[in-house]
Amino acid sequence: MFDAATSTYRSKNMHILLEGKIIKPAEESGYHADEVIRCYGAREIELLAERSGFKVKAHLTRKQIGNPDYVLEESEPRRMIVLEKTE
Protein backbone atom coordinates (compact mmCIF):
# COMPACT_ATOMS: atom_id res chain seq x y z
CA MET A 1 0.00 0.00 0.00
CA PHE A 2 1.38 3.43 -0.98
CA ASP A 3 0.71 6.36 1.34
CA ALA A 4 0.99 9.54 -0.74
CA ALA A 5 0.89 11.85 2.29
CA THR A 6 4.12 10.39 3.72
CA SER A 7 5.61 9.04 0.46
CA THR A 8 5.99 5.60 1.97
CA TYR A 9 5.24 2.11 0.72
CA ARG A 10 4.14 -0.38 3.38
CA SER A 11 4.00 -4.12 2.89
CA LYS A 12 2.92 -7.00 5.08
CA ASN A 13 4.61 -10.38 5.04
CA MET A 14 2.79 -13.69 4.94
CA HIS A 15 3.88 -17.16 3.90
CA ILE A 16 1.80 -19.62 1.89
CA LEU A 17 3.00 -23.20 2.16
CA LEU A 18 2.94 -25.62 -0.79
CA GLU A 19 -0.12 -27.37 0.59
CA GLY A 20 -1.97 -24.03 0.63
CA LYS A 21 -1.82 -23.30 4.35
CA ILE A 22 -1.40 -19.57 5.10
CA ILE A 23 0.83 -18.56 7.98
CA LYS A 24 -0.82 -15.58 9.64
CA PRO A 25 0.41 -12.04 8.82
CA ALA A 26 2.71 -10.39 11.35
CA GLU A 27 0.16 -8.39 13.35
CA GLU A 28 -2.04 -11.46 13.93
CA SER A 29 0.83 -13.60 15.19
CA GLY A 30 2.18 -10.97 17.59
CA TYR A 31 5.37 -10.41 15.57
CA HIS A 32 5.72 -7.04 13.80
CA ALA A 33 7.35 -7.58 10.42
CA ASP A 34 5.98 -4.76 8.26
CA GLU A 35 8.36 -3.27 5.75
CA VAL A 36 8.25 0.50 5.29
CA ILE A 37 10.09 2.03 2.35
CA ARG A 38 10.46 5.80 1.93
CA CYS A 39 9.92 6.75 -1.70
CA TYR A 40 11.77 9.85 -2.89
CA GLY A 41 10.66 11.87 -5.89
CA ALA A 42 13.18 12.94 -8.52
CA ARG A 43 13.38 16.52 -7.20
CA GLU A 44 13.95 15.28 -3.62
CA ILE A 45 16.83 13.09 -4.82
CA GLU A 46 18.29 16.01 -6.78
CA LEU A 47 18.21 18.26 -3.71
CA LEU A 48 19.82 15.58 -1.52
CA ALA A 49 22.54 15.02 -4.12
CA GLU A 50 23.21 18.76 -4.54
CA ARG A 51 23.47 19.23 -0.76
CA SER A 52 26.03 16.40 -0.72
CA GLY A 53 28.24 18.00 -3.35
CA PHE A 54 26.93 16.41 -6.56
CA LYS A 55 25.50 17.88 -9.76
CA VAL A 56 22.71 16.11 -11.68
CA LYS A 57 23.93 15.28 -15.19
CA ALA A 58 20.98 13.26 -16.56
CA HIS A 59 17.86 11.25 -15.82
CA LEU A 60 17.87 7.94 -17.71
CA THR A 61 15.38 5.18 -18.39
CA ARG A 62 16.20 1.47 -18.32
CA LYS A 63 16.26 1.39 -22.15
CA GLN A 64 18.73 4.30 -22.38
CA ILE A 65 21.40 2.68 -20.22
CA GLY A 66 24.10 1.42 -22.58
CA ASN A 67 22.13 2.61 -25.62
CA PRO A 68 22.98 6.27 -26.35
CA ASP A 69 20.97 6.24 -29.61
CA TYR A 70 17.70 5.32 -27.88
CA VAL A 71 14.93 7.87 -28.49
CA LEU A 72 13.15 8.57 -25.22
CA GLU A 73 9.37 8.37 -25.06
CA GLU A 74 7.82 11.11 -22.89
CA SER A 75 5.79 8.64 -20.78
CA GLU A 76 8.77 6.45 -19.81
CA PRO A 77 9.78 6.59 -16.15
CA ARG A 78 13.32 7.72 -15.43
CA ARG A 79 14.94 5.07 -13.24
CA MET A 80 18.49 6.30 -12.93
CA ILE A 81 19.96 9.67 -12.06
CA VAL A 82 23.53 10.29 -13.24
CA LEU A 83 25.52 12.51 -10.87
CA GLU A 84 28.85 14.28 -11.10
CA LYS A 85 30.93 15.14 -8.04
CA THR A 86 31.45 18.92 -7.75
CA GLU A 87 34.30 20.55 -5.88
mmCIF file of all heavy atoms in Angstrom, residues 32-65:
data_model
loop_
_atom_site.group_PDB
_atom_site.id
_atom_site.type_symbol
_atom_site.label_atom_id
_atom_site.label_comp_id
_atom_site.label_asym_id
_atom_site.label_seq_id
_atom_site.Cartn_x
_atom_site.Cartn_y
_atom_site.Cartn_z
ATOM 1 N N HIS A 32 5.851 -8.174 14.733
ATOM 2 C CA HIS A 32 5.722 -7.040 13.804
ATOM 3 C C HIS A 32 6.790 -7.134 12.726
ATOM 4 O O HIS A 32 7.971 -6.978 13.005
ATOM 5 C CB HIS A 32 5.860 -5.720 14.570
ATOM 6 C CG HIS A 32 5.512 -4.545 13.746
ATOM 7 N ND1 HIS A 32 6.435 -3.895 12.977
ATOM 8 C CD2 HIS A 32 4.348 -3.897 13.556
ATOM 9 C CE1 HIS A 32 5.848 -2.896 12.343
ATOM 10 N NE2 HIS A 32 4.579 -2.882 12.692
ATOM 11 N N ALA A 33 6.382 -7.400 11.494
ATOM 12 C CA ALA A 33 7.354 -7.575 10.415
ATOM 13 C C ALA A 33 7.035 -6.719 9.208
ATOM 14 O O ALA A 33 7.438 -7.018 8.094
ATOM 15 C CB ALA A 33 7.405 -9.040 10.004
ATOM 16 N N ASP A 34 6.290 -5.634 9.388
ATOM 17 C CA ASP A 34 5.982 -4.758 8.257
ATOM 18 C C ASP A 34 7.257 -4.140 7.699
ATOM 19 O O ASP A 34 8.201 -3.847 8.421
ATOM 20 C CB ASP A 34 5.053 -3.620 8.674
ATOM 21 C CG ASP A 34 3.636 -4.084 8.919
ATOM 22 O OD1 ASP A 34 3.295 -5.215 8.530
ATOM 23 O OD2 ASP A 34 2.880 -3.311 9.498
ATOM 24 N N GLU A 35 7.253 -3.939 6.417
ATOM 25 C CA GLU A 35 8.365 -3.270 5.752
ATOM 26 C C GLU A 35 7.875 -1.897 5.321
ATOM 27 O O GLU A 35 6.826 -1.782 4.703
ATOM 28 C CB GLU A 35 8.812 -4.073 4.535
ATOM 29 C CG GLU A 35 9.960 -3.441 3.797
ATOM 30 C CD GLU A 35 10.392 -4.279 2.617
ATOM 31 O OE1 GLU A 35 9.543 -4.648 1.804
ATOM 32 O OE2 GLU A 35 11.590 -4.552 2.520
ATOM 33 N N VAL A 36 8.622 -0.862 5.669
ATOM 34 C CA VAL A 36 8.254 0.496 5.293
ATOM 35 C C VAL A 36 9.396 1.057 4.465
ATOM 36 O O VAL A 36 10.541 1.105 4.904
ATOM 37 C CB VAL A 36 8.007 1.383 6.530
ATOM 38 C CG1 VAL A 36 7.650 2.802 6.110
ATOM 39 C CG2 VAL A 36 6.912 0.781 7.396
ATOM 40 N N ILE A 37 9.085 1.486 3.253
ATOM 41 C CA ILE A 37 10.087 2.032 2.347
ATOM 42 C C ILE A 37 9.736 3.476 2.044
ATOM 43 O O ILE A 37 8.619 3.775 1.619
ATOM 44 C CB ILE A 37 10.144 1.229 1.030
ATOM 45 C CG1 ILE A 37 10.496 -0.226 1.325
ATOM 46 C CG2 ILE A 37 11.139 1.854 0.063
ATOM 47 C CD1 ILE A 37 10.383 -1.125 0.125
ATOM 48 N N ARG A 38 10.663 4.391 2.253
ATOM 49 C CA ARG A 38 10.455 5.804 1.934
ATOM 50 C C ARG A 38 10.736 5.992 0.455
ATOM 51 O O ARG A 38 11.790 5.613 -0.039
ATOM 52 C CB ARG A 38 11.381 6.667 2.786
ATOM 53 C CG ARG A 38 11.432 8.130 2.409
ATOM 54 C CD ARG A 38 10.093 8.837 2.675
ATOM 55 N NE ARG A 38 10.239 10.263 2.682
ATOM 56 C CZ ARG A 38 10.103 11.035 1.604
ATOM 57 N NH1 ARG A 38 9.835 10.510 0.433
ATOM 58 N NH2 ARG A 38 10.254 12.342 1.703
ATOM 59 N N CYS A 39 9.793 6.539 -0.261
ATOM 60 C CA CYS A 39 9.919 6.752 -1.702
ATOM 61 C C CYS A 39 10.239 8.221 -1.965
ATOM 62 O O CYS A 39 9.459 9.096 -1.595
ATOM 63 C CB CYS A 39 8.621 6.357 -2.406
ATOM 64 S SG CYS A 39 8.119 4.667 -2.086
ATOM 65 N N TYR A 40 11.361 8.487 -2.587
ATOM 66 C CA TYR A 40 11.766 9.851 -2.888
ATOM 67 C C TYR A 40 11.419 10.190 -4.330
ATOM 68 O O TYR A 40 11.641 9.391 -5.239
ATOM 69 C CB TYR A 40 13.272 10.025 -2.689
ATOM 70 C CG TYR A 40 13.695 9.937 -1.249
ATOM 71 C CD1 TYR A 40 14.082 8.729 -0.696
ATOM 72 C CD2 TYR A 40 13.694 11.064 -0.439
ATOM 73 C CE1 TYR A 40 14.472 8.641 0.638
ATOM 74 C CE2 TYR A 40 14.077 10.988 0.891
ATOM 75 C CZ TYR A 40 14.461 9.774 1.419
ATOM 76 O OH TYR A 40 14.830 9.691 2.731
ATOM 77 N N GLY A 41 10.910 11.376 -4.545
ATOM 78 C CA GLY A 41 10.663 11.869 -5.894
ATOM 79 C C GLY A 41 11.968 12.335 -6.509
ATOM 80 O O GLY A 41 12.981 12.523 -5.818
ATOM 81 N N ALA A 42 11.963 12.536 -7.817
ATOM 82 C CA ALA A 42 13.182 12.938 -8.522
ATOM 83 C C ALA A 42 13.743 14.247 -7.968
ATOM 84 O O ALA A 42 14.951 14.371 -7.761
ATOM 85 C CB ALA A 42 12.901 13.068 -10.016
ATOM 86 N N ARG A 43 12.889 15.227 -7.701
ATOM 87 C CA ARG A 43 13.376 16.515 -7.199
ATOM 88 C C ARG A 43 13.978 16.368 -5.799
ATOM 89 O O ARG A 43 14.985 17.004 -5.484
ATOM 90 C CB ARG A 43 12.251 17.551 -7.196
ATOM 91 C CG ARG A 43 12.720 18.931 -6.843
ATOM 92 C CD ARG A 43 13.725 19.461 -7.865
ATOM 93 N NE ARG A 43 14.356 20.675 -7.395
ATOM 94 C CZ ARG A 43 15.637 20.968 -7.515
ATOM 95 N NH1 ARG A 43 16.447 20.144 -8.135
ATOM 96 N NH2 ARG A 43 16.122 22.083 -7.049
ATOM 97 N N GLU A 44 13.387 15.506 -4.953
ATOM 98 C CA GLU A 44 13.952 15.277 -3.622
ATOM 99 C C GLU A 44 15.350 14.673 -3.721
ATOM 100 O O GLU A 44 16.260 15.073 -2.999
ATOM 101 C CB GLU A 44 13.061 14.338 -2.819
ATOM 102 C CG GLU A 44 11.766 14.945 -2.348
ATOM 103 C CD GLU A 44 10.928 13.925 -1.614
ATOM 104 O OE1 GLU A 44 10.466 12.966 -2.258
ATOM 105 O OE2 GLU A 44 10.756 14.088 -0.390
ATOM 106 N N ILE A 45 15.519 13.722 -4.632
ATOM 107 C CA ILE A 45 16.827 13.088 -4.817
ATOM 108 C C ILE A 45 17.836 14.113 -5.332
ATOM 109 O O ILE A 45 18.980 14.151 -4.890
ATOM 110 C CB ILE A 45 16.721 11.883 -5.769
ATOM 111 C CG1 ILE A 45 15.901 10.782 -5.095
ATOM 112 C CG2 ILE A 45 18.111 11.367 -6.163
ATOM 113 C CD1 ILE A 45 15.560 9.620 -5.992
ATOM 114 N N GLU A 46 17.399 14.963 -6.263
ATOM 115 C CA GLU A 46 18.288 16.006 -6.782
ATOM 116 C C GLU A 46 18.766 16.926 -5.659
ATOM 117 O O GLU A 46 19.952 17.236 -5.563
ATOM 118 C CB GLU A 46 17.567 16.837 -7.837
ATOM 119 C CG GLU A 46 17.346 16.118 -9.139
ATOM 120 C CD GLU A 46 16.539 16.951 -10.121
ATOM 121 O OE1 GLU A 46 16.151 18.092 -9.785
ATOM 122 O OE2 GLU A 46 16.298 16.448 -11.235
ATOM 123 N N LEU A 47 17.845 17.361 -4.809
ATOM 124 C CA LEU A 47 18.210 18.260 -3.710
ATOM 125 C C LEU A 47 19.173 17.585 -2.733
ATOM 126 O O LEU A 47 20.150 18.198 -2.292
ATOM 127 C CB LEU A 47 16.961 18.744 -2.980
ATOM 128 C CG LEU A 47 16.083 19.715 -3.761
ATOM 129 C CD1 LEU A 47 14.765 19.951 -3.023
ATOM 130 C CD2 LEU A 47 16.808 21.029 -4.001
ATOM 131 N N LEU A 48 18.914 16.317 -2.398
ATOM 132 C CA LEU A 48 19.816 15.579 -1.515
ATOM 133 C C LEU A 48 21.211 15.457 -2.135
ATOM 134 O O LEU A 48 22.223 15.624 -1.452
ATOM 135 C CB LEU A 48 19.248 14.193 -1.203
ATOM 136 C CG LEU A 48 18.019 14.153 -0.307
ATOM 137 C CD1 LEU A 48 17.403 12.751 -0.320
ATOM 138 C CD2 LEU A 48 18.371 14.566 1.114
ATOM 139 N N ALA A 49 21.256 15.165 -3.425
ATOM 140 C CA ALA A 49 22.543 15.025 -4.119
ATOM 141 C C ALA A 49 23.289 16.353 -4.143
ATOM 142 O O ALA A 49 24.498 16.408 -3.855
ATOM 143 C CB ALA A 49 22.321 14.513 -5.540
ATOM 144 N N GLU A 50 22.582 17.442 -4.468
ATOM 145 C CA GLU A 50 23.214 18.759 -4.538
ATOM 146 C C GLU A 50 23.745 19.186 -3.170
ATOM 147 O O GLU A 50 24.837 19.745 -3.075
ATOM 148 C CB GLU A 50 22.219 19.783 -5.084
ATOM 149 C CG GLU A 50 21.948 19.582 -6.564
ATOM 150 C CD GLU A 50 20.760 20.379 -7.088
ATOM 151 O OE1 GLU A 50 20.168 21.176 -6.320
ATOM 152 O OE2 GLU A 50 20.424 20.197 -8.276
ATOM 153 N N ARG A 51 23.007 18.891 -2.111
ATOM 154 C CA ARG A 51 23.467 19.226 -0.756
ATOM 155 C C ARG A 51 24.689 18.405 -0.365
ATOM 156 O O ARG A 51 25.445 18.800 0.522
ATOM 157 C CB ARG A 51 22.349 18.981 0.249
ATOM 158 C CG ARG A 51 21.245 19.985 0.164
ATOM 159 C CD ARG A 51 20.171 19.693 1.179
ATOM 160 N NE ARG A 51 18.987 20.479 0.881
ATOM 161 C CZ ARG A 51 17.758 20.117 1.180
ATOM 162 N NH1 ARG A 51 17.536 18.980 1.811
ATOM 163 N NH2 ARG A 51 16.743 20.880 0.872
ATOM 164 N N SER A 52 24.892 17.265 -1.023
ATOM 165 C CA SER A 52 26.028 16.396 -0.721
ATOM 166 C C SER A 52 27.208 16.624 -1.657
ATOM 167 O O SER A 52 28.158 15.842 -1.662
ATOM 168 C CB SER A 52 25.589 14.924 -0.802
ATOM 169 O OG SER A 52 24.563 14.688 0.129
ATOM 170 N N GLY A 53 27.115 17.669 -2.486
ATOM 171 C CA GLY A 53 28.237 18.002 -3.355
ATOM 172 C C GLY A 53 28.225 17.355 -4.727
ATOM 173 O O GLY A 53 29.263 17.190 -5.340
ATOM 174 N N PHE A 54 27.050 16.990 -5.234
ATOM 175 C CA PHE A 54 26.931 16.407 -6.564
ATOM 176 C C PHE A 54 26.087 17.302 -7.465
ATOM 177 O O PHE A 54 25.266 18.076 -6.995
ATOM 178 C CB PHE A 54 26.258 15.024 -6.501
ATOM 179 C CG PHE A 54 27.111 13.974 -5.857
ATOM 180 C CD1 PHE A 54 27.069 13.773 -4.480
ATOM 181 C CD2 PHE A 54 27.956 13.193 -6.622
ATOM 182 C CE1 PHE A 54 27.852 12.814 -3.876
ATOM 183 C CE2 PHE A 54 28.742 12.223 -6.020
ATOM 184 C CZ PHE A 54 28.692 12.027 -4.644
ATOM 185 N N LYS A 55 26.289 17.172 -8.761
ATOM 186 C CA LYS A 55 25.500 17.884 -9.765
ATOM 187 C C LYS A 55 24.773 16.840 -10.606
ATOM 188 O O LYS A 55 25.362 15.840 -11.007
ATOM 189 C CB LYS A 55 26.423 18.714 -10.654
ATOM 190 C CG LYS A 55 25.705 19.439 -11.760
ATOM 191 C CD LYS A 55 26.694 20.230 -12.603
ATOM 192 C CE LYS A 55 25.965 20.869 -13.760
ATOM 193 N NZ LYS A 55 26.895 21.563 -14.652
ATOM 194 N N VAL A 56 23.491 17.051 -10.871
ATOM 195 C CA VAL A 56 22.713 16.113 -11.678
ATOM 196 C C VAL A 56 23.087 16.305 -13.147
ATOM 197 O O VAL A 56 22.982 17.403 -13.687
ATOM 198 C CB VAL A 56 21.196 16.331 -11.464
ATOM 199 C CG1 VAL A 56 20.402 15.412 -12.374
ATOM 200 C CG2 VAL A 56 20.821 16.107 -10.014
ATOM 201 N N LYS A 57 23.545 15.234 -13.777
ATOM 202 C CA LYS A 57 23.927 15.276 -15.194
ATOM 203 C C LYS A 57 22.803 14.814 -16.110
ATOM 204 O O LYS A 57 22.651 15.331 -17.204
ATOM 205 C CB LYS A 57 25.170 14.401 -15.435
ATOM 206 C CG LYS A 57 26.399 14.846 -14.705
ATOM 207 C CD LYS A 57 26.871 16.200 -15.148
ATOM 208 C CE LYS A 57 27.505 16.111 -16.509
ATOM 209 N NZ LYS A 57 28.025 17.385 -17.003
ATOM 210 N N ALA A 58 22.029 13.795 -15.685
ATOM 211 C CA ALA A 58 20.982 13.258 -16.558
ATOM 212 C C ALA A 58 20.032 12.374 -15.769
ATOM 213 O O ALA A 58 20.384 11.857 -14.709
ATOM 214 C CB ALA A 58 21.609 12.437 -17.690
ATOM 215 N N HIS A 59 18.835 12.221 -16.303
ATOM 216 C CA HIS A 59 17.856 11.255 -15.816
ATOM 217 C C HIS A 59 17.679 10.243 -16.943
ATOM 218 O O HIS A 59 17.337 10.620 -18.066
ATOM 219 C CB HIS A 59 16.508 11.933 -15.523
ATOM 220 C CG HIS A 59 16.525 12.812 -14.329
ATOM 221 N ND1 HIS A 59 16.053 12.396 -13.112
ATOM 222 C CD2 HIS A 59 16.975 14.078 -14.151
ATOM 223 C CE1 HIS A 59 16.187 13.379 -12.239
ATOM 224 N NE2 HIS A 59 16.745 14.407 -12.843
ATOM 225 N N LEU A 60 17.916 8.962 -16.670
ATOM 226 C CA LEU A 60 17.873 7.939 -17.707
ATOM 227 C C LEU A 60 16.782 6.910 -17.438
ATOM 228 O O LEU A 60 16.407 6.665 -16.305
ATOM 229 C CB LEU A 60 19.214 7.204 -17.784
ATOM 230 C CG LEU A 60 20.443 8.043 -18.077
ATOM 231 C CD1 LEU A 60 21.680 7.164 -18.027
ATOM 232 C CD2 LEU A 60 20.334 8.751 -19.402
ATOM 233 N N THR A 61 16.309 6.297 -18.508
ATOM 234 C CA THR A 61 15.379 5.175 -18.389
ATOM 235 C C THR A 61 16.175 3.887 -18.511
ATOM 236 O O THR A 61 17.349 3.888 -18.913
ATOM 237 C CB THR A 61 14.314 5.191 -19.501
ATOM 238 O OG1 THR A 61 14.937 4.872 -20.743
ATOM 239 C CG2 THR A 61 13.618 6.539 -19.609
ATOM 240 N N ARG A 62 15.540 2.772 -18.214
ATOM 241 C CA ARG A 62 16.202 1.472 -18.319
ATOM 242 C C ARG A 62 16.687 1.229 -19.752
ATOM 243 O O ARG A 62 17.766 0.706 -19.982
ATOM 244 C CB ARG A 62 15.229 0.377 -17.907
ATOM 245 C CG ARG A 62 15.796 -1.021 -18.039
ATOM 246 C CD ARG A 62 14.794 -2.063 -17.726
ATOM 247 N NE ARG A 62 14.517 -2.045 -16.291
ATOM 248 C CZ ARG A 62 13.681 -2.853 -15.690
ATOM 249 N NH1 ARG A 62 13.021 -3.738 -16.383
ATOM 250 N NH2 ARG A 62 13.482 -2.795 -14.399
ATOM 251 N N LYS A 63 15.908 1.639 -20.746
ATOM 252 C CA LYS A 63 16.258 1.388 -22.150
ATOM 253 C C LYS A 63 17.413 2.270 -22.633
ATOM 254 O O LYS A 63 18.086 1.932 -23.588
ATOM 255 C CB LYS A 63 15.037 1.610 -23.038
ATOM 256 C CG LYS A 63 13.932 0.596 -22.789
ATOM 257 C CD LYS A 63 12.724 0.886 -23.644
ATOM 258 C CE LYS A 63 11.596 -0.072 -23.331
ATOM 259 N NZ LYS A 63 10.373 0.254 -24.073
ATOM 260 N N GLN A 64 17.645 3.401 -21.983
ATOM 261 C CA GLN A 64 18.725 4.297 -22.383
ATOM 262 C C GLN A 64 20.092 3.831 -21.905
ATOM 263 O O GLN A 64 21.094 4.165 -22.513
ATOM 264 C CB GLN A 64 18.482 5.700 -21.823
ATOM 265 C CG GLN A 64 17.425 6.476 -22.554
ATOM 266 C CD GLN A 64 17.215 7.821 -21.903
ATOM 267 O OE1 GLN A 64 16.793 7.883 -20.759
ATOM 268 N NE2 GLN A 64 17.513 8.881 -22.616
ATOM 269 N N ILE A 65 20.126 3.087 -20.810
ATOM 270 C CA ILE A 65 21.399 2.680 -20.222
ATOM 271 C C ILE A 65 22.136 1.771 -21.202
ATOM 272 O O ILE A 65 21.642 0.721 -21.593
ATOM 273 C CB ILE A 65 21.172 1.986 -18.864
ATOM 274 C CG1 ILE A 65 20.495 2.965 -17.902
ATOM 275 C CG2 ILE A 65 22.486 1.454 -18.292
ATOM 276 C CD1 ILE A 65 19.974 2.330 -16.637
#
